[in-house]
Each structure stands twice: as C-alpha cells, then as structure tokens.
Amino acid sequence: MSAATPEHIMQVGTGFWASKTLLSAVELGVFSALADVPADLPTLQKKLGLHQRSARDFLDALVSLKFLQRENGIYSNTADTDLFLDRAKPSYIGGVLEMANARLYGFWGSLTEAVRTGELQNEGKGGGKDIFATLYADPDRLRGFLSAMSGVSAGAAQAIAGKFPWRDYKTFMDLGSAQGMVPATVARAHPHLTGIGFDLPPVKPVFEEFVAQRGVEDRVRFRAGNFFEDPLPKVDVIVMGHILHDWDLAQKKALLGRAFDALPKGGAVVVYDAIIDDDRRENAFGLMMSLNMLIETPGGFDYTGADCQAWMREVGFSKTRLEPLVGPDSMVIGLK
Ligand SMILES: C[S@@+](CC[C@H](N)C(=O)[O-])C[C@H]1O[C@@H](n2cnc3c(N)ncnc32)[C@H](O)[C@@H]1O
C-alpha cells in the first residue's frame, strides 16, 4: 500500500482557485488579446485593465497552470488556449466557461444547501421560472447559454459524426439542438444527410445564424416547438444531447417514448450525455454534472448507460448499445 499523502486532498480542496483563475482570464479576454500579438507585462496590464499589484501574479499563475507561455518576459497563448479560447476563432469554446463564471461559480457556492434540501440553487431558487424561461427572457443570456452548449458539445459532435453509421440513414433531427453544433457537424461530415434542429422558438435566429456560418443552411433547418407537447417531425434518426439529464425520471421516459413513436421501423435514437459508468465510481465529471443538474433544475439527474438502456427498452426500442465518445461523454443508441 502506498504511503498516505495530503496532496490529492489539497489539490481538489483548493481546485476552485485554479478554476476561477481560468474563468477570470476568459472573462477579461486574456487569450483573445494574446492571439493578436504576444505581449510583455506592462502592455498586457494596460490592455486588460489589470491592477499593478495583481497583474504579474495573475499572468504567471496562468503560465504555471499551462494556459499561457512566457519567454524572455513575453507572454503568449499555448496551442490549446489559442485555438479554443480566442473569441475571434470559430473553434472558440469559451461560451461554456463564460457561463460557468457568470452563473455556475456563484450557484455552486450553495451546494451544501442543495444536497441538504434537494432544491435547485440558480435563478429559479424559491419558486422562480424554469431555467429555460429564465435564460431565454434575456437575449444576452440566451446567446450566452446557447454558445455555452456549443462549447460543451463540440467534441461529442465530432465523435458522433464519426462513430454513428450515418450512411444507413437519410434524415435526422437534433431534439433540443441549441445553436446547432451537432446537426451542423454531422451535416458537414455527411453531405447525403438532411437534418432538423428542434428547439424552443427564441432559439431560431441564433440557430440559423450558426448553421449558415458553417455553410449547411440548405440541409439543416430549424423547427420551433415544445418537445413535450408538439408533434415531432418524422425522421430516421433522433439525437438527444444533454437533454435527458435536464428532466426527472417520468419526463425522461416521456421524451424517449415520444422519440420512439416518431421514428419509423429501423429508425434510431442517439442519446448522449456525460453518461455515468454502471458501477458509479469512475466518471467523476458525469457524477458532478448530476450535482450541477441538482443546482440547475427541479428534478434533473445524470444516469448510467444501464439506466438509459433499460428506459429505452421499456418504451419499446428493441436493441440498445452504449458507445464511448470523447472524454466523459458516451452515447446510447436505441434501434426501433
Ligand atoms: C442542455 S441544452 C442541450 C443543447 C444541445 N443538445 C447540446 O447538447 O449542446 C437543452 C436544450 O433543450 C432545449 N429545450 C428545453 N426545453 C425544451 C422544450 N420543452 N422543447 C424543446 N426544446 C427544449 C433548450 O432550449 C436547450 O437548447
């Protein structure tokens, strides 16, 4: 047995220091500023509006965390931060970090209360509106949330485009598509497909702008609706990404049942999330995502692959399987 050390405990216990250092750097636009041109301390201090007392420690902390490089006093982005955290690039995934900074960082401060009471801790605390109504009432928050979803789903979208047997199908729909990262990525990779992004009405302009930027607006259309109530379009494949975990068990099964009813014989449902390992001890991100759903929703929770496959079979899918995607994400495929 290895000797006990406090290292892991301290690293996780102060993990919010590192997290907030990165989130503040994104908020201040550090990586966008350095993407234009590497810079020395006085230049960056002025450009970013940093105080003299904190500028050096803040930037060098980012160097030590491997988000910046410093050579001969000149700071520059790393390859990762330059590609993913420069707002000017289409590969920017900082939307999710902007949302983590502006909303989740504060709400997670009430985690203890959440685990004691089982009550959500976001804008809806104390009986406010549901999360989507709250977010979508403000156009900036709407855009921020939808762009955050693209950041969360970029890797999974690539993996789904590569791993699912799309050549066997012609049409698909992404149910709860947000900005359209998954349908745009899948359509770009498979020119024979036509797709639909289905989401609440306020999402339409943001979706249409995003798919046009990616050059697939002729094959990927938006359909406005409520996925619990409105008729679902008839397509060969229905994708649900980060949807089931938002809802309670009855709602999860209702959505899977509606997908089953909308699909033709031979059609498929593809559910992806940070799906928890069946033994519930490995996928820490998936388990903490479930705590995030506790903070964010009245009844949402994340689930294992075995849970999801059992629900799919209960609503009628005949064959189901789990496939890992990327990082903590996996997909469960159900065939009708
Ligand atoms: C957590 S996001 C997931 C977005 C996207 N699938 C992804 O993985 O990046 C949930 C999406 O469901 C949409 N949504 C929530 N309630 C809905 C409803 N009743 N009908 C249709 N869409 C809904 C939201 O607008 C949001 O875009």
Side-chain angles (χ1 to χ4, degrees), residues 130-132 136 142 145-146 148-154 156 174-183 198-203 223-230 239-243 245-247 255 272-273 293:
D130 99 6
I131 177 177
F132 297 111
Y136 293 3
L142 165 71
F145 177 77
L146 296 175
M149 290 306 104
S150 290
V152 175
S153 302
D174 189 18
L175 199 58
S177 58
Q179 217 173 11
M181 178 56 93
V182 166
F198 186 104
D199 209 302
L200 296 167
V203 176
R223 176 78 66 93
N226 180 329
F227 51 41
F228 287 113
E229 291 166 7
D230 294 320
V239 180
M240 284 191 240
H242 303 128
I243 300 300
H245 78 162
D246 288 337
W247 306 101
L255 285 172
Y272 75 90
D273 256 309
M293 291 303 111

Side-chain angles (χ1 to χ4, degrees), residues 232-262:
L232 299 182
K234 303 281 177 210
V235 289
D236 302 335
V237 180
I238 296 179
V239 180
M240 284 191 240
H242 303 128
I243 300 300
L244 291 191
H245 78 162
D246 288 337
W247 306 101
D248 67 25
L249 184 57
Q251 292 165 319
K252 282 174 168 59
K253 290 184 187 173
L255 285 172
L256 286 172
R258 299 201 85 215
F260 182 82
D261 293 342

Side-chain angles (χ1 to χ4, degrees), residues 33-34 37-44 47 59 69-70 73-76:
L34 285 172
V37 56
D40 63 10
L41 180 61
T43 311
L44 267 182
K47 200 165 178 182
L59 295 168
Q69 302 171 133
R70 192 193 64 227
I74 304 293
Y75 293 90
S76 60

